[in-house]
Amino acid sequence: MRGFKCLLYELDFVPKPMSIPDLSDEVTLARYPFLPQAKSWIASMAAKHHIDIDELLEGGMMDRARIRARSRLVDSVDSKDGVEVASIGDIHTEEGRILEAFSFYYARLVVGASEDERLISRWAQAEAERAQRILEKDSAIHVIANTYLSEIECDENGIWKMGLSDFIELCTGITGSRWRLPNCEINDGWVTLHDEGEKYSSRAKVARLLRERMKEDIKLDALEKMEKMDESLLIRLAEPVGMIRGLVASKTAETIALIGAGEEDWPPCMRKAVAELSQGVNVNHFGRVFLGSMSRCIGLPPETTVDFFRNAPDFSESTTTYQVNHLYEREYTPSGCSKLKINHNCAVQTGDDRLCDQPWMDHPLKYIRAKQRRRKRVEALGTSGEQNNQTDG
Ligand code: SF4
């Protein structure tokens, strides 16, 4: 958590406005749900429509918000342009605004539950890029600029000026000679952001600089959520977290290190499939798809997944590689416990495994999450025990 504290420390020195401007336009609040002004509006929408945490995580009313959240998360990993600007709803209706705001809220819960600061940063970056692209054309840029910057002005010709301290702090994260101070016009502590064509118009430059500040705010909020997350919420979010981690793992080389789900964390159904295949037992089609999608979600490379099938009676290197790659490319997510039980792929009876007996256990990814949490707790207890012993000695 050192990084998180450092971040808070740094933010203490970021020049920000003494007071945040009022903002009540609901379309703007839904478009930029991370704004500080959006908090009370989202809370009022939640109260008005009875959206509590159960509804958000599993309720029918929030189905579409979760779908949109999934695409927000996938875009943050998959798209080089950040999160898709267009919502799947009409933001000029209350339903569309709720969809947009709560999808952001849900996505933030999921990245927070990943407990992975790199994933949180990546998502914050993608959301901030999305906001930047909207701001380039949105008149709300004025109120948003005044929300995040202590000194910012726009003249009647649409040329923006920014306080030097804000500019210095924000431009350091941006590459390119136009963002270096010797190349800027500075008068009395103000930097003028001149027009340089459409891509670098004065307004586009403000949006780009604001992106830096928005990214830090989004990241900080998600890190705070991560800090406050309790164990039951972490477990309930195991499935979407598995989905996004699997996607990250398939897009990057950061496989097992990112996931950290060692063999000791695997659920009995996964162990059963791996053990049966290694003994040459013919695992049914459902079990094979389950094993492939589980492997993907916990970040095993496709080659390792192919290896699981090597002793299967019908093994063919080329066919298995093709099928495994297909599972990875299509981003299959594993089935839940009820389907595994129906298809004879569940490995336990009541009493065999305490975790599988829990009333909330309905997905093998939740099993892994619970195991990881339990192990972390035991390790933490071990460390504090060691420290106590050292002090005692
Ligand atoms: S109860 Fe669920 S997690 Fe446990 S073995 Fe069966 S399918 Fe797997």
Side-chain angles (χ1 to χ4, degrees):
M1 274 304 80
R2 222 170 125 212
F4 178 47
K5 289 213 175 96
C6 265
L7 181 64
L8 284 170
Y9 180 77
E10 279 164 23
L11 286 170
D12 279 346
F13 294 90
V14 172
K16 281 196 175 176
M18 299 296 281
S19 64
I20 294 169
D22 287 339
L23 176 55
S24 55
D25 175 43
E26 295 190 23
V27 171
T28 303
L29 294 170
R31 264 194 193 126
Y32 310 96
F34 49 82
L35 286 171
Q37 297 96 325
K39 281 195 178 105
S40 57
W41 172 70
I42 293 180
S44 70
M45 284 294 113
K48 182 177 172 189
H49 295 277
H50 310 290
I51 303 168
D52 57 12
I53 192 71
D54 294 330
E55 177 59 47
L56 186 63
L57 264 51
E58 279 135 23
M61 199 204 317
M62 286 287 106
D63 262 349
R64 293 185 71 219
R66 289 191 297 273
I67 292 170
R68 166 76 173 138
R70 185 189 150 94
S71 75
R72 291 183 103 117
L73 289 164
V74 168
D75 286 351
S76 68
V77 175
D78 219 12
S79 162
K80 63 175 174 34
D81 299 322
V83 173
E84 170 65 47
V85 167
S87 171
I88 54 174
D90 179 356
I91 205 159
H92 296 283
T93 64
E94 183 151 290
E95 195 191 343
R97 290 191 288 275
I98 289 173
L99 177 67
E100 204 53 12
F102 284 89
S103 64
F104 173 84
Y105 201 86
Y106 181 80
R108 187 173 60 187
L109 273 181
V110 173
V111 287
S114 76
E115 298 185 300
D116 181 335
E117 290 194 25
R118 283 173 300 177
L119 184 56
I120 289 173
S121 288
R122 199 163 170 164
W123 174 72
Q125 167 81 11
E127 285 287 349
E129 282 176 20
R130 167 188 177 272
Q132 176 199 347
R133 290 203 306 281
I134 307 177
L135 274 179
E136 286 168 0
K137 301 186 181 82
D138 191 349
S139 60
I141 192 169
H142 294 269
V143 66
I144 293 177
N146 282 299
T147 298
Y148 286 115
L149 301 169
S150 53
E151 291 176 318
I152 183 86
E153 284 177 11
C154 179
D155 70 16
E156 64 279 8
N157 300 317
I159 301 299
W160 290 77
K161 284 197 296 186
M162 180 180 288
L164 186 58
S165 55
D166 274 322
F167 183 83
I168 289 173
E169 188 258 325
L170 297 177
C171 74
T172 48
I174 311 175
T175 54
S177 57
R178 66 173 46 81
W179 303 106
R180 305 288 75 91
L181 271 186
N183 302 324
C184 298
E185 182 190 318
I186 305 167
N187 292 305
D188 298 329
W190 287 82
V191 180
T192 304
L193 302 166
H194 287 293
D195 267 332
E196 291 178 73
E198 196 185 336
K199 192 169 173 210
Y200 292 104
S201 66
S202 188
R203 167 192 276 263
K205 286 180 180 174
V206 174
R208 176 65 189 89
L209 288 157
L210 280 171
R211 176 173 122 193
E212 295 298 300
R213 186 63 55 82
M214 294 186 291
K215 182 177 78 183
E216 282 310 313
D217 256 30
I218 294 169
K219 185 170 147 188
L220 186 63
D221 270 352
L223 288 168
E224 277 178 2
K225 281 271 172 302
M226 179 176 101
E227 288 287 291
K228 289 183 191 150
M229 199 141 306
D230 65 29
E231 184 150 342
S232 76
L233 193 53
L234 283 173
I235 291 167
R236 288 176 81 183
L237 288 163
E239 201 179 337
V241 168
M243 179 280 292
I244 192 69
R245 283 176 151 177
L247 184 62
V248 171
S250 67
K251 298 286 167 198
T252 69
E254 312 160 43
T255 53
I256 298 171
L258 178 77
I259 315 299
E263 209 172 318
E264 67 279 10
D265 298 327
W266 293 357
C269 41
M270 184 172 175
R271 289 168 183 275
K272 170 175 138 81
V274 171
E276 286 181 349
L277 284 167
S278 74
Q279 290 156 15
V281 176
N282 198 10
V283 171
N284 64 22
H285 176 70
F286 197 87
R288 291 177 181 220
V289 173
F290 163 69
L291 178 59
S293 50
M294 270 306 269
S295 302
R296 186 189 78 80
C297 277
I298 65 171
L300 296 178
E303 300 76 34
T304 307
T305 307
V306 171
D307 284 343
F308 287 147
F309 294 90
R310 238 164 241 291
N311 288 337
D314 54 352
F315 180 74
S316 146
E317 180 99 39
S318 58
T319 310
T320 307
T321 304
Y322 172 80
Q323 287 167 341
V324 165
N325 285 340
H326 181 77
L327 281 179
Y328 275 60
E329 278 158 21
R330 295 284 173 95
E331 295 156 17
Y332 275 56
T333 47
S335 300
C337 298
S338 58
K339 285 199 178 145
L340 287 159
K341 284 180 205 284
I342 292 169
N343 287 284
H344 313 288
N345 302 110
C346 173
V348 297
Q349 303 282 340
T350 308
D352 287 348
D353 187 298
R354 261 177 8 110
L355 265 181
C356 290
D357 286 343
Q358 297 301 314
W360 46 261
M361 179 55 67
D362 56 9
H363 200 284
L365 286 171
K366 289 189 179 175
Y367 185 100
I368 291 185
R369 202 73 177 114
K371 261 284 169 84
Q372 287 174 324
R373 299 291 300 168
R374 189 175 284 181
R375 191 159 38 77
K376 259 192 180 173
R377 260 202 323 263
V378 171
E379 281 167 11
L381 280 174
T383 314
S384 64
E386 273 169 32
Q387 281 168 353
N388 287 341
N389 286 343
Q390 279 168 13
T391 317
D392 293 346

